[in-house]
């Protein structure tokens, strides 16, 4: 048996209460092709937050327990309980990705070579002091890379790379991104600048626009501008972008993007005019839910359009093992440049349960991102 | 030169007036590979109506002109004029498909063999007494087939066949159809019964439901029923349908279909439960605009979903010449059974401009379909 360590758990009870707690779990002995990693850095991504707090009303939050085993509870509104049906009364570990040091290995030569190495890891249950994983779920990091630098190798970098990859495989040559000043959006700008891909960034205020202009973004459009649609159409004529990745989801934005694409195609002078709409396929993929309202589509852009959901894992499955490995290798190669992540605060597991910290990181504000070091102070 | 004949024209003036009229046009001399057809039957399809009346307000309709050259005018509301920008001040011929007798041919042996034959034809400008076409746009009909029987060989039959074809090529095994009691919907039922494909029909009232049950439809669901969503989910569990073709477009129906598909997938017991939503792709294609309001999508069905426009011609282009020819041959083979069309009234070109007739056929009501015989009474 390996060491026992703390692991964060999220539980929604059938009675309508969310409980986040820390439990002591024994670390499994690694199998032949497995390693045990001491996790030193694991980010709080929006996708983790969804699982961590569910649909709980965080204005009802209460802290209890001890310093070493804090507990946080909150009420889940009755109206949202049906959406939680699939996870009721299950104590769920959280945390999609992280990085740490290999402290124990199985018997195979492949894993023995990893002993003492710093590795980026993925696969869930990362908000824990120790994690036993298959070697295939580890990405060994170059010497001189800290766990904090390698903590976010998967979700944001692979999602951003996946967007440009999907753009190419679906026959587009430029792309649109919304909520574009996010950590992910900044990464996407760096990729596009490096790869000479035209990217149209849509943001929601002037501060976000200046963040992007400061890192060299060429097309930045504020959706709150009175001339938003004209500016967007002009940028689409200039770039020829016919695919968008939208983190907002609700409201009219996806529809506005499709309309502006159609207007840009008709104004480009490149295609014959058709009164049934252009024959150029226009695509918007929704990959986030910053606006939980319904998506409102005003169908005024012909029939060559698509709207759909987009998720990293099915996309990686679609491009296969070789494609995924190529993307992962690029992340490692450019970890301190293109794919560098920044965090506003590093917290321990217990500090991650402090209501004052929760109040900040659940806001998912641009530029506010927390990193958990489960072995902080150890 | 061939004969001169009447041709129907639709014109929207920049001043905001719709004018529908009949003009005398000379029939071109057929080229080597062309024929001249005396058109005896051409249907008024919803897609023709869009071009015929544009966005004009038909409560303002006025008739003028002579018996032989009637003119109909109506006001186009200023708010909808931008949508008409692409066709302003152009006198447009109308009519996608029809059938008639070959009365003149070019010099090639292929077209000479068609002299006197009854042919189905497509390509626009069919609301006319004569039409010169390339042989590739003619479908020779078997002996004993009347022009009226062959008038609707393309739009509805190929659209219905295209739906089952798209279902298969995109990896689905059953389908959903809305506004399902339409002429097209009845055809789709006949195809599915013959080909043993499960089809879920969504209709909007009890009368439409009984039309479909009378022709043997197995799954008919009324969207105005209080238990609509439960009935739909149950039919989707039974059929496994994960693709829908929607003629309605506006409102919540497309979203309801995606939700019911997701519920059916989760209730089928065939797939592992995932809290991120099922991994089975769910698709709704919008091919009509019976409800012009925005499409309202409540994203509660995971990320494996798509919504998009669908149009026959791009689909035929996608399946290529051989695929299209296979579908066309099937239409000819089953013209008096699967693909039989029914019309409520046969009118001349002049009668098609009678405001009393226009008031009926613009309603696009289920079961109300007009056929024009441009040579009626000749």
């Amino acid at each position: 048996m390996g060491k026992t360590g703390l692991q964060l758990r999220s539980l929604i009870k059938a009675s309508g209460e969310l409980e986040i707690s820390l439990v002591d779990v024994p670390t499994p002995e690694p199998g032949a092709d497995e390693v045990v990693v001491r996790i030193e850095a694991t980010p709080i991504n929006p996708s983790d937050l969804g699982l961590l707090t569910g649909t709980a009303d965080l204005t009802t939050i209460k802290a209890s327990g001890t310093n070493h085993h804090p507990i946080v509870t909150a009420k889940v509104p009755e109206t949202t309980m049906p959406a939680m049906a699939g996870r009721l009364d299950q104590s769920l570990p959280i945390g999609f990705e992280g990085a740490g040091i290999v402290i124990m290995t199985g018997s195979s030569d492949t894993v023995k070579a990893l002993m003492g190495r710093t590795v980026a890891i993925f696969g869930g249950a990362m908000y824990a002091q120790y994690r036993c994983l298959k070697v295939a779920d580890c990405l060994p990091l170059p010497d001189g890379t800290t766990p904090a630098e390698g903590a976010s190798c998967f979700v944001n970098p692979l999602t951003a790379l996946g967007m440009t990859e999907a753009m190419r495989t679906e026959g587009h040559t430029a792309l649109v991104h919304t909520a574009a000043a996010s950590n992910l959006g900044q990464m996407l700008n760096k990729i596009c600048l490096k790869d000479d891909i035209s990217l149209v960034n849509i943001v929601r205020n002037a501060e976000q626009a200046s963040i992007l202009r400061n890192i060299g973004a060429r097309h930045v459009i504020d959706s709150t501008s009175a001339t938003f649609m004209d500016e967007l159409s002009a940028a689409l004529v200039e770039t020829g972008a016919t695919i968008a990745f939208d983190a907002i989801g609700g409201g009219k934005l996806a529809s506005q993007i499709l309309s502006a694409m159609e207007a840009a195609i008709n104004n480009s002078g490149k295609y014959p005019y058709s009164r049934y709409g252009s024959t150029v396929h226009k695509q918007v993929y929704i990959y986030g839910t910053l606006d939980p309202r319904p998506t409102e589509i005003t169908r005024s852009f012909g029939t060559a359009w698509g709207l759909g959901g987009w998720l990293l894992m099915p996309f990686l499955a679609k491009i296969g093992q070789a494609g995924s490995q190529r993307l992962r290798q690029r992340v490692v190669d450019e970890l301190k440049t293109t794919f560098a992540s920044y965090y506003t605060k590093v917290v321990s597991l217990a500090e991650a349960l402090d209501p004052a910290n929760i109040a900040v990181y659940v806001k998912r504000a641009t530029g506010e991102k927390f990193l958990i070091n489960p072995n902080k102070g150890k």
Side-chain angles (χ1 to χ4, degrees), chain A:
Chain A
M1 284 296 292
K3 299 181 178 189
T4 289
L6 287 174
Q7 187 184 66
L8 187 149
R9 293 288 183 84
S10 171
L11 168 69
I12 291 180
K13 300 176 188 175
S15 60
E17 189 183 56
L18 164 72
E19 181 187 280
I20 308 174
S21 63
L22 300 184
V23 297
D24 295 297
V25 293
T27 310
E29 194 73 23
D33 270 320
E34 292 182 335
V35 299
V36 171
V37 176
R38 185 179 69 233
I39 298 175
E40 299 195 351
T42 171
I44 303 181
N45 286 313
S47 51
D48 298 314
L49 275 176
L51 214 50
L52 182 66
T53 62
T55 57
D57 173 3
L58 298 176
T59 64
T60 66
I61 207 163
K62 284 206 177 73
S64 59
T66 66
N67 277 350
H68 191 61
H69 287 94
I71 296 172
V72 160
T73 57
K75 286 197 165 43
V76 179
E78 207 171 322
T79 51
T80 66
M81 282 295 282
M84 299 290 103
R87 58 168 290 182
L88 287 188
D89 293 326
Q90 299 168 48
S91 178
L92 302 175
I94 314 283
F96 187 76
E97 63 183 342
I101 314 294
V102 175
I103 58 165
M104 201 184 299
T105 77
S107 55
S108 80
D109 289 343
T110 320
V111 297
K112 277 185 184 168
L114 290 178
M115 188 66 195
R117 286 285 297 271
T118 300
V119 290
I121 52 184
F122 78 101
M126 295 300 169
Y127 295 173
Q129 293 185 304
Y130 305 100
R131 180 75 161 83
C132 181
L133 303 109
K134 292 208 179 344
V135 65
D137 297 334
C138 299
L139 193 56
L141 297 174
D143 285 343
T145 310
T146 66
E149 287 168 337
S152 296
C153 273
F154 298 95
V155 178
N156 279 346
L158 291 180
T159 301
L161 280 175
M163 288 174 183
T164 58
E165 193 80 6
M167 175 200 82
R168 270 186 286 256
T169 56
E170 298 184 17
H172 308 269
T173 57
L175 74 167
V176 177
H177 188 225
T178 73
S182 64
N183 196 304
L184 170 66
Q186 295 181 42
M187 249 175 222
L188 185 58
N189 272 281
K190 291 180 197 163
I191 294 169
C192 289
L193 285 169
K194 197 173 164 94
D195 295 0
D196 203 20
I197 296 168
S198 294
L199 169 64
V200 177
N201 296 278
I202 300 176
V203 297
R204 288 174 293 176
N205 60 51
E207 191 191 335
Q208 292 167 349
S210 73
I211 290 173
L212 289 180
R213 291 212 180 86
N214 286 342
I215 61 164
R218 287 181 199 137
H219 303 279
V220 184
I221 297 165
D222 186 339
S223 61
T224 62
S225 157
T227 54
F228 169 60
M229 285 301 284
D230 290 340
E231 292 174 55
L232 181 56
S233 298
L236 294 174
V237 168
E238 199 177 328
T239 59
T242 46
I243 186 170
F245 290 88
D246 174 32
I248 310 284
K252 300 182 178 187
L253 186 58
S255 188
Q256 289 175 314
I257 292 169
L258 289 167
S259 289
M261 284 176 177
E262 179 73 356
I265 289 161
N266 289 330
N267 291 337
S268 71
K270 287 187 196 163
Y271 306 96
Y273 178 79
S274 161
R275 59 182 63 89
Y276 298 107
S278 81
T279 57
V280 180
H281 186 78
K282 299 158 287 290
Q283 180 69 39
V284 174
Y285 284 119
I286 296 176
Y287 76 94
T289 312
L290 290 175
D291 183 340
R293 290 177 305 161
T295 313
E296 193 181 323
I297 302 294
T298 303
R299 306 174 313 284
S300 57
F301 28 73
T303 63
W305 62 276
L307 176 74
W310 197 83
L311 191 64
L312 176 61
M313 284 301 152
F315 177 76
L316 292 179
K318 197 189 281 181
I319 64 171
Q321 181 63 33
S324 298
Q325 187 49 42
R326 178 170 50 79
L327 301 191
R328 285 165 65 161
Q329 189 56 49
R330 178 164 176 189
V331 176
V332 171
D333 293 345
E334 302 174 28
L335 191 54
K336 295 191 183 184
T337 53
T338 316
F339 301 108
S341 286
Y342 304 95
Y343 306 96
T344 34
K345 196 166 181 181
V346 179
V347 294
S348 67
L349 285 171
E351 287 162 354
L353 268 63
D354 181 336
N357 283 325
I358 293 176
V360 178
Y361 66 67
V362 295
K363 280 191 293 187
R364 312 177 190 202
T366 296
E368 287 282 0
K369 190 160 187 179
F370 275 51
L371 188 68
I372 300 175
N373 176 353
N375 287 288
K376 185 182 173 190
K378 290 283 145 74

